[in-house]
């Protein structure tokens, strides 16, 4: 590749990586004169790249959006990241997944040979596990536009219409959500995008409310844990389990595990309620000691009573009664008797 062509590719890569570039700084990065930068910019314009000049003491350049998407340059790491992202999106299915499949085919055609074989291996190694609900492209764009323009959005959700102020789009564990202030519930709510239908027209503009705690992602995580604001479980307990830490470690999740020796482990775990926490501890299939606090000990008693009732055999039918629809003690037909 000639020096001019190589320099133009470097210039294009720089323009893509940053919104505005002062002319002298570009000349310094390319190790050429400002006049050479102007000539290279003219060459890019001739190839269809919408490079605009910026006014100012030193001048500058910006790669502006055009009518068509021009060829883009990616370094090796960017290309691999792009392929992984497209494969993940394609696994979700739906029209967005189909678009990702087509984009992936386009990228694969222009990959250099040194990358193509490495990226092809990702086809067999990148696997998206679990449910990946499909979200329509139009749904994602409509909700995103309402978030950006701060317009009240009407959503059809579970056969009812909700009016919300959409604040943030979030992607969590393979699903898309919108964090919004629900005008009908007067509270923050999180909606899965694969379960809603945006309705048009949108409502009036709104002044964005401050998110409790200032972190939208933390607020959503808190709601999934049953907490009002903080990204923390409402209840946290500590126990000692009669089982080695090495056997428990793969299943602890966001808990804290301490190896106490002699085949015993200390576990700190959280949940949304005390009985739920007791049940979470019971799933480790080990004897439990040193339970704290007292609320967790009482919850084990509640769980034991529920388990006792669940384990009890079903009651026997009363003598003289049958399980048939017409059976009765007198043997008369039950037809015509009113059910309550």
């Amino acid at each position: 590749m000639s020096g001019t062509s190589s320099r133009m590719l470097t210039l294009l890569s720089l323009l893509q990586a940053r919104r505005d570039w002062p002319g002298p700084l570009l000349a310094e990065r390319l190790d050429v004169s400002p006049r050479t930068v102007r000539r290279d910019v003219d060459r890019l314009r001739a190839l269809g790249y919408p490079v605009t000049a910026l006014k100012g003491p030193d001048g500058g350049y910006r790669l502006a959006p055009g009518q068509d998407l021009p060829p883009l340059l990616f370094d090796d790491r960017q290309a691999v990241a792009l392929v992984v992202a497209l494969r993940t999106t394609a696994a979700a299915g739906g029209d967005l997944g189909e678009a990702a499949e087509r984009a992936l085919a386009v990228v694969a055609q222009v990959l250099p040979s040194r990358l193509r074989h490495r990226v092809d291996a990702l086809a067999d190694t990148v696997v998206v596990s679990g449910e990946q609900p499909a979200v329509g492209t139009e749904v994602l764009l409509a909700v995103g536009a309402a978030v950006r323009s701060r317009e009240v959005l009407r959503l059809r959700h579970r056969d009812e219409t909700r009016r919300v102020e959409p604040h943030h789009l979030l992607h969590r564990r393979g699903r898309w959500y919108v964090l919004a202030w629900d005008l009908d519930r007067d509270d923050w709510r999180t909606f899965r995008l694969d379960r809603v239908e945006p309705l048009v027209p949108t409502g009036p503009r709104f002044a964005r409310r401050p998110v409790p705690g200032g972190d939208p992602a933390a607020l959503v995580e808190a709601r999934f844990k049953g907490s009002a604001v903080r990204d923390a479980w409402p209840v946290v307990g500590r126990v000692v389990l009669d089982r080695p830490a090495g056997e428990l470690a793969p299943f602890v999740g966001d808990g804290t595990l301490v190896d106490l020796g002699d085949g015993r482990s200390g576990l700190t775990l959280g949940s949304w309620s005390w009985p739920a926490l007791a049940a979470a501890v019971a799933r480790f299939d080990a004897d439990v000691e040193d339970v704290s606090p007292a609320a967790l000990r009482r919850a084990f008693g509640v769980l034991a009573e529920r388990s006792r009732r669940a384990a009890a055999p079903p009651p026997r039918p009363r003598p003289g009664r049958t399980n048939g629809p017409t059976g009765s003690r007198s043997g008369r037909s039950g037809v015509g008797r009113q059910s309550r």
Side-chain angles (χ1 to χ4, degrees):
M1 181 180 295
S2 68
T4 301
S5 299
S6 176
R7 189 177 64 248
M8 287 177 59
L9 290 177
T10 303
L11 172 60
L12 180 58
S13 179
L14 292 173
L15 290 171
Q16 291 176 171
R18 174 171 163 175
R19 179 173 174 81
D20 296 333
W21 278 95
L25 182 57
L26 274 178
E28 180 183 343
R29 293 290 295 269
L30 296 171
D31 195 21
V32 296
S33 67
R35 183 178 180 181
T36 301
V37 172
R38 289 195 294 270
R39 287 200 300 264
D40 288 346
V41 166
D42 289 337
R43 292 187 181 99
L44 289 178
R45 289 169 177 162
L47 293 173
Y49 292 94
V51 183
T52 60
L54 303 176
K55 297 180 180 180
D58 297 325
Y61 301 96
R62 173 188 300 170
L63 184 61
Q67 296 296 323
D68 300 307
L69 184 67
L72 302 177
L73 295 179
F74 299 100
D75 60 28
D76 289 4
R77 290 186 178 182
Q78 290 173 329
V80 173
L82 180 62
V83 170
V84 172
L86 288 173
R87 289 199 186 281
T88 303
T89 304
D95 56 350
L96 191 62
E98 294 175 2
E101 286 280 7
R102 295 195 302 271
L104 191 61
V106 173
V107 173
Q109 290 179 0
V110 297
L111 283 177
S113 58
R114 69 177 182 277
L115 278 182
R116 185 175 297 113
H117 297 298
R118 297 174 62 187
V119 169
D120 284 345
L122 296 176
D124 299 323
T125 58
V126 175
V127 178
V128 180
S129 61
E131 179 189 4
Q132 296 290 317
V135 175
T137 306
E138 293 303 318
V139 172
L140 194 61
L141 293 176
V143 176
V147 171
R148 182 179 180 84
S149 59
R150 301 182 183 181
E151 293 179 343
V152 171
L153 187 63
R154 294 186 303 124
L155 298 175
R156 190 178 304 281
H157 179 259
R158 295 179 178 174
D159 297 327
E160 65 175 332
T161 301
R162 308 278 283 271
R163 298 179 308 114
V164 303
E165 296 176 353
H167 281 249
H168 293 83
L169 280 173
L170 302 103
H171 191 265
R172 180 184 185 272
R173 300 182 182 180
R175 296 185 176 94
W176 281 101
Y177 297 88
V178 58
L179 174 64
W181 177 263
D182 194 322
L183 295 170
D184 301 315
R185 303 298 192 273
D186 198 31
D187 194 8
W188 292 96
R189 291 289 190 271
T190 303
F191 299 91
R192 274 177 53 174
L193 292 195
D194 59 300
R195 294 179 176 177
V196 301
E197 176 189 354
L199 303 175
V200 293
T202 54
R205 292 181 179 271
F206 62 88
R208 182 170 291 174
R209 303 168 188 263
V211 174
D215 187 343
L219 177 60
V220 170
E221 289 298 329
R223 291 305 176 96
F224 275 102
K225 292 179 177 179
S227 178
V229 177
R230 295 189 310 113
D231 182 10
W233 292 109
V235 300
V236 177
R238 298 168 182 81
V239 298
V240 173
L241 299 177
D242 188 18
R243 195 158 187 175
E247 297 180 5
L248 303 178
F251 313 104
V252 171
D254 62 354
T256 302
L257 188 66
V258 178
D259 187 357
L260 301 179
D262 298 328
R264 298 162 68 245
S265 305
L267 176 66
T268 301
L269 202 62
S271 188
W272 57 274
S273 73
W274 291 114
L277 180 55
V281 172
R283 70 186 173 89
F284 288 100
D285 191 22
D287 290 339
V288 183
E289 311 169 4
D290 297 338
V291 178
S292 64
L296 181 55
R297 291 197 297 272
R298 291 192 295 269
F300 273 108
V302 172
L303 189 64
E305 177 59 23
R306 289 175 180 171
S307 300
R308 185 194 64 78
R309 291 197 300 267
R316 295 182 180 181
R318 292 183 180 180
R321 291 186 177 271
T322 66
N323 294 327
T326 60
S328 67
R329 186 178 302 232
S330 62
R332 291 179 299 175
S333 171
V335 177
R337 305 174 77 183
Q338 186 174 3
S339 300
R340 293 185 180 180

